[in-house]
Amino acid sequence: MKLNKNFLVHNTGTDIIIVPTGEAGFSGVVKGNKTFGAILEFLKDDTDEAEIISKMSKKYDAPTEVIEKDVKSIISRLKEIGAIDD
C-alpha cells in the first residue's frame, strides 16, 4: 500500500495535514499529530501495515499494542477516504 498521489501532505509545524487534489474524490482536510505524520512518511513508499508497525516500534518508545492500534486506526481512516492505494 502507498499514499495516493492525489493527496498532498503539509506539515504546519504543530500539525500534519493531508489535503486532496481535485482528482481525489474526497473533499475536506485531515489533520493529525506527529504519529500521523510518521505513518504518512512511511506510506510515501510501497509498504504494508506490519512494516509500518515495526518501523514505528523502533522510532517510538511505546508498547507495541498501542502502536499497532494507532497504525490500524489511521490506516483504516485513510482507506475510507481513498488516501491509500493498495
Side-chain angles (χ1 to χ4, degrees):
M1 75 182 136
K2 189 173 181 178
L3 187 64
N4 183 301
K5 66 179 180 168
N6 292 316
F7 285 80
L8 306 174
V9 178
H10 178 69
N11 184 340
T12 68
T14 54
D15 296 311
I16 307 299
I17 299 171
I18 59 170
V19 181
T21 66
E23 303 293 319
F26 171 79
S27 65
V29 296
V30 178
K31 182 172 90 170
N33 59 15
K34 291 179 191 177
T35 302
F36 180 64
I39 293 169
L40 290 173
E41 190 66 32
F42 297 134
L43 286 167
K44 286 183 178 180
D45 298 313
D46 195 29
T47 189
D48 62 31
E49 197 171 276
E51 188 175 352
I52 293 172
I53 291 167
S54 175
K55 288 178 179 179
M56 293 289 288
S57 294
K58 291 175 185 171
K59 183 173 180 142
Y60 295 102
D61 183 26
T64 303
E65 303 81 36
V66 172
I67 291 172
E68 186 174 325
K69 181 182 168 208
D70 288 346
V71 168
K72 287 179 182 285
S73 174
I74 290 170
I75 288 175
S76 174
R77 180 65 182 129
L78 291 172
K79 284 182 177 180
E80 285 176 19
I81 65 169
I84 292 181
D85 293 329
D86 283 321

